[in-house]
């Protein structure tokens, strides 16, 4: 199989100098031309390479191409030339394998004294016999992911290895387009299982997907494979009626629906507001309290409040941001919460969906995780863990990808992310291992939250393309409302116009209070032990609310 090889810049020669004033800034042509930059060398065959660069000058008459042996500083040779505005040259002779070379490019002026300095990059022309053998064995197209299996061979002579998948809808895929590093490999030659979530792939486009492999010797690519996502799940549109709440300002609107869901009784509410008109806040009190008690304690400026994230033993689990201050961490999670399952003692590093707003009130949905020091990081994709298949290394500022420079003023993690850029990044497809081994449960959500048949009370927060924020709840597990599974929940939020959304704690935690009025059903049967038939709402340790400005 013919491989493509790109070597990113390993080192710049000491001779690379920054040029003076650029002719782009001084088009009169009376200053020295700006030197080319971003030089990349691509191995195209045993005896040839392609040299590309960024043109930083104007008015050049062309470019000259140079080669120099690092072991012989006097051996500087011009090996070719390119016309003005060209940014690529094929060098087909004069190369020796298993040897490093400095490749240089110079912008030539009509007046030689105004030509640029030569910009260099070093490239090791490795022997072809050491080329890694990179093979994509299969690629399966899902409605929310590409599932790829691949192998890597002939890697023994390589050190400082990194690898993964890259993809592009516009041309040849490289690590400079869209890419995702792969999981740790346990044994040489093993088949690697990696999923590309649709947070990075658009529906309706055909992509080329390739395996990349980087070592001290350079970067190589497999032959690309074409793939296209299946049709996305359609939005669910319910009938909604506006709810009148005494004292609620017109800046916040609340709607209610009793439209059946998939043939089941269903009862849901949502509040919608523009963050320019109200404040969106997260609260993490020192002890658990019901949504009613928390709303009352926050006073009349608290317009609408819902329950927030997950908790255990009275403590919030996950990452929260209150007034710009980060609280909590995201630890690795068990593959199963059932002590008798084989996955109970298997730990997975995870990221979880997070919803928040910055200081201006702009809402966003990302995935978040904690590094070894407990610092929070935000990403445009989940760590693509697959229960029973792929375990990923710990979260860092560059794993699963380069972190997003997001500084939320208020944010809360829970999961899973329901919508990202209008796409639903999960489904209930199972792997070959069967029940509860989900292919796209990247956040490793437990069995009582994730699954086609898990119908429950739900809480979610989303935002529309116009930047409005929606607080959503639905009743579940009662005759009047059987609840929703997560995929139905995502499709409902999509039907409300949301382009980003996150699922929050549900079940007995679900509750919405508007101006002191509790809107949804309370729990019965296990509240006050002295009055077991009384209605109650489970105390929670975090809440999300709209406040009057």
């Amino acid at each position: 199989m013919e491989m493509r090889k790109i070597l990113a810049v390993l080192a710049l020669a000491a001779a690379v100098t920054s040029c003076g004033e650029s002719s782009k800034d001084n088009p009169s042509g009376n200053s020295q031309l700006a030197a080319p930059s971003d030089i990349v060398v691509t191995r195209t065959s045993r005896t040839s390479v392609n040299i590309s660069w960024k043109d930083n000058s104007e008015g050049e008459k062309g470019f000259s191409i140079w080669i120099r042996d690092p072991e012989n500083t006097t051996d500087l040779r011009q090996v070719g030339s390119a016309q003005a505005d060209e940014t690529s040259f094929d060098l087909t002779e004069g190369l020796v394998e298993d040897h490093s070379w400095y490749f240089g490019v110079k912008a030539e002026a009509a007046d030689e004294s105004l030509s640029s300095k030569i910009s260099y990059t070093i490239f090791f022309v490795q022997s072809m016999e050491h080329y890694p053998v990179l093979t994509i064995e299969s690629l399966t197209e899902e409605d929310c992911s590409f599932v790829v299996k691949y192998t890597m061979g002939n890697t023994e002579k390589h050190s400082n290895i990194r690898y993964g998948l890259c993809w592009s809808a516009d041309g040849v895929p490289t690590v400079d387009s869209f890419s995702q590093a792969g999981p740790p490999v346990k044994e040489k030659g093993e088949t690697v299982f990696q999923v590309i979530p649709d947070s990075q792939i658009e529906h309706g486009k055909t992509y080329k997907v390739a395996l990349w492999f980087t070592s001290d010797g350079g970067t190589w690519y497999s032959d690309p494979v074409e793939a296209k996502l299946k049709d996305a799940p359609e939005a669910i549109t319910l009938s909604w009626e506006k709810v009148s709440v005494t004292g609620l300002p017109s800046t916040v609107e609340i709607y209610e629906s009793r439209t059946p869901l998939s043939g089941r009784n269903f009862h849901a509410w949502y509040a919608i507001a523009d963050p320019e008109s109200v404040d969106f806040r997260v609260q993490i009190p020192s002890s658990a309290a019901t949504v009613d008690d928390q709303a009352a304690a926050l006073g009349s400026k608290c317009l609408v409040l819902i329950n927030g994230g997950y908790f255990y033993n009275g403590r919030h689990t996950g990452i929260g941001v209150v007034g710009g201050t980060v609280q909590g961490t995201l630890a690795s999670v068990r593959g199963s919460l059932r002590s008798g399952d084989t996955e109970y003692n298997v730990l997975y590093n995870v990221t979880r969906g997070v919803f928040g707003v910055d200081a201006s009130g702009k809402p966003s949905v990302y995935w978040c995780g904690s590094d070894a020091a407990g610092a929070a990081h935000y990403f445009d994709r989940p760590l693509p863990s697959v229960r029973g298949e792929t375990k990923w290394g710990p979260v860092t500022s560059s794993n699963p990808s380069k972190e997003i420079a997001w500084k939320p003023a208020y944010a809360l993690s829970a999961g899973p992310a329901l919508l990202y850029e209008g796409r639903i990044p999960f489904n209930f497809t199972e792997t070959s291992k069967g029940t509860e081994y989900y292919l796209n449960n990247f956040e490793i959500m437990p069995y009582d939250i994730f699954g086609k048949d898990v119908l429950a009370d739900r809480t979610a927060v989303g935002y529309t393309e116009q930047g409005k924020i929606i607080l959503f709840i639905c009743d579940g597990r009662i005759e009047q409302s059987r609840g929703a599974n997560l995929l139905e929940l995502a499709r409902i939020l999509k039907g409300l116009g949301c382009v980003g959304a996150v699922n929050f704690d549900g079940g007995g935690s679900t509750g919405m209070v508007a101006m002191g009025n509790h809107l949804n059903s309370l729990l019965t049967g296990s509240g006050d032990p002295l009055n077991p038939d009384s209605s109650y709402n489970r105390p929670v340790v975090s809440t999300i609310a709209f406040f009057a400005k």
Side-chain angles (χ1 to χ4, degrees):
M1 181 191 313
E2 181 177 335
M3 300 293 177
R4 294 176 292 113
K5 175 183 179 186
I6 295 181
L7 184 81
V9 175
L10 297 177
L12 289 177
V16 177
T17 59
S18 59
C19 294
E21 185 182 13
S22 169
S23 62
K24 287 186 181 293
D25 300 322
N26 185 357
S28 65
N30 294 325
S31 61
Q32 186 177 35
L33 293 178
S37 62
D38 301 340
I39 299 173
V40 175
V41 180
T42 304
R43 184 76 175 272
T44 53
S45 72
R46 180 181 292 274
T47 59
S48 62
V49 297
N50 174 268
I51 305 162
S52 62
W53 59 90
K54 179 181 179 182
D55 178 4
N56 297 316
S57 61
E58 289 183 357
E60 74 277 355
K61 69 173 185 179
F63 296 92
S64 55
I65 317 301
W66 301 78
I67 187 170
R68 182 164 67 84
D69 187 340
E71 299 176 4
N72 183 356
T73 58
T74 64
D75 182 23
L76 176 61
R77 293 173 286 142
Q78 182 178 347
V79 294
S81 59
Q83 295 182 7
D85 296 327
E86 288 189 355
T87 56
S88 176
F89 176 81
D90 290 313
L91 178 59
T92 59
E93 59 183 18
L95 298 180
V96 176
E97 288 188 327
D98 280 335
H99 191 76
S100 293
W101 298 91
Y102 281 117
F103 292 89
V105 183
K106 175 183 177 183
E108 298 284 356
D111 181 347
E112 175 58 28
S113 66
L114 298 180
S115 295
S116 77
K117 302 293 179 65
I118 302 175
S119 292
Y120 291 94
T121 188
I122 193 168
F123 179 81
F124 181 68
V125 182
Q126 192 171 48
S127 172
M128 294 286 280
E129 66 182 77
H130 299 317
Y131 267 39
V133 179
L134 309 177
T135 306
I136 293 180
E137 294 186 343
S138 65
L139 191 155
T140 303
E141 301 161 324
E142 289 282 321
D143 58 16
C144 64
S145 64
F146 294 153
V147 184
V148 187
K149 294 181 181 180
Y150 56 85
T151 58
M152 298 171 289
N154 198 30
T155 62
E156 292 78 9
K157 298 291 185 180
H158 296 264
S159 58
N160 294 325
I161 292 172
R162 292 182 69 247
Y163 64 90
L165 297 172
C166 55
W167 55 94
S168 174
D170 301 320
V172 178
T174 73
V175 292
D176 296 320
S177 52
F178 290 97
S179 66
Q180 173 69 60
V185 172
K186 296 178 181 178
E187 299 178 2
K188 291 182 179 180
E190 75 169 303
T191 298
V192 181
F193 186 104
Q194 185 172 344
V195 179
I196 304 174
D198 74 353
S199 57
Q200 301 299 299
I201 309 169
E202 295 183 42
H203 289 269
K205 289 186 176 181
T206 298
Y207 287 83
K208 291 183 179 179
V209 180
L211 166 61
W212 58 267
F213 178 96
T214 297
S215 72
D216 284 344
T219 300
W220 293 260
Y221 296 89
S222 73
D223 289 337
V225 176
E226 287 194 350
K228 185 177 182 180
L229 288 173
K230 294 182 178 178
D231 292 339
E234 293 182 357
I236 291 177
T237 303
L238 305 177
S239 296
W240 297 91
E241 294 185 2
K242 191 172 182 179
V243 176
S244 177
V245 177
T246 301
L248 187 69
S250 59
T251 53
V252 179
E253 296 177 334
I254 296 179
Y255 294 86
E256 178 182 21
S257 177
R258 294 182 182 272
T259 306
L261 177 64
S262 302
R264 308 183 303 270
N265 289 340
F266 188 67
H267 195 182
W269 299 257
Y270 76 88
I272 183 169
D274 191 322
E276 291 186 356
S277 303
V278 303
D279 285 335
F280 173 92
R281 298 183 197 168
V282 168
Q283 295 74 223
I284 304 179
S286 58
S287 60
T290 66
V291 290
D292 302 272
D293 288 343
Q294 291 196 44
L298 291 168
S300 60
K301 280 203 166 185
C302 179
L303 306 178
V304 180
L305 179 142
I306 61 173
N307 64 292
Y310 302 118
F311 57 98
Y312 182 72
N313 285 341
R315 298 184 62 183
H316 174 252
T317 59
I319 292 172
V321 181
V322 179
T325 301
V326 178
Q327 302 181 32
T329 60
L330 268 170
S332 55
V333 300
R334 296 182 183 274
S336 173
L337 296 183
R338 299 187 182 98
S339 59
D341 288 357
T342 57
E343 289 278 328
Y344 180 74
N345 291 316
V346 180
L347 294 179
Y348 292 85
N349 295 307
V350 295
T351 52
R352 289 279 170 88
V354 59
F355 184 100
V357 298
D358 62 16
S360 72
K362 179 183 177 181
S364 296
V365 167
Y366 294 113
W367 285 265
C368 64
S370 301
D371 63 21
H377 302 280
Y378 308 101
F379 305 97
D380 64 355
R381 68 195 71 182
L383 197 66
S385 303
V386 179
R387 181 174 182 258
E389 295 287 349
T390 306
K391 294 179 65 177
W392 292 75
V395 170
T396 68
S397 61
S398 59
N399 186 38
S401 62
K402 183 178 180 180
E403 67 180 333
I404 297 294
W406 185 47
K407 294 183 178 180
Y410 290 93
L412 198 62
S413 74
L418 300 171
L419 289 165
Y420 181 77
E421 295 186 347
R423 301 187 288 274
I424 300 174
F426 69 92
N427 63 17
F428 300 133
T429 301
E430 294 178 339
T431 70
S432 59
K433 287 186 168 61
T435 305
E436 295 184 5
Y437 285 89
Y438 296 105
L439 183 63
N440 298 297
N441 180 14
F442 307 118
E443 300 181 35
I444 313 295
M445 305 305 300
Y447 66 90
D448 58 340
I449 297 173
F450 195 96
K452 180 176 63 176
D453 299 322
V454 183
L455 308 177
D457 321 54
R458 299 288 184 182
T459 303
V461 182
Y463 71 94
T464 68
E465 191 171 3
Q466 294 74 33
K468 292 185 177 182
I469 297 175
I470 288 178
L471 310 181
F472 175 96
I473 64 164
C474 70
D475 274 343
R477 295 178 291 193
I478 58 176
E479 181 62 31
Q480 296 87 348
S481 182
R482 305 307 298 171
N485 67 37
L486 288 174
L487 189 55
E488 290 172 330
L489 179 62
R491 294 172 61 196
I492 291 170
L493 269 292
K494 189 174 181 178
L496 290 175
C498 288
V499 293
V502 172
N503 176 65
F504 285 90
D505 195 13
S509 298
T510 291
M512 178 180 284
V513 178
M515 303 303 297
N517 300 287
H518 193 111
L519 298 186
N520 64 309
S521 298
L522 295 170
L523 301 176
T524 57
S526 58
D528 184 352
L530 299 179
N531 186 9
D533 292 327
S534 64
S535 298
Y536 76 103
N537 190 216
R538 179 188 295 161
V540 296
V541 299
S542 59
T543 54
I544 300 168
F546 290 146
F547 282 79
K549 282 187 176 290

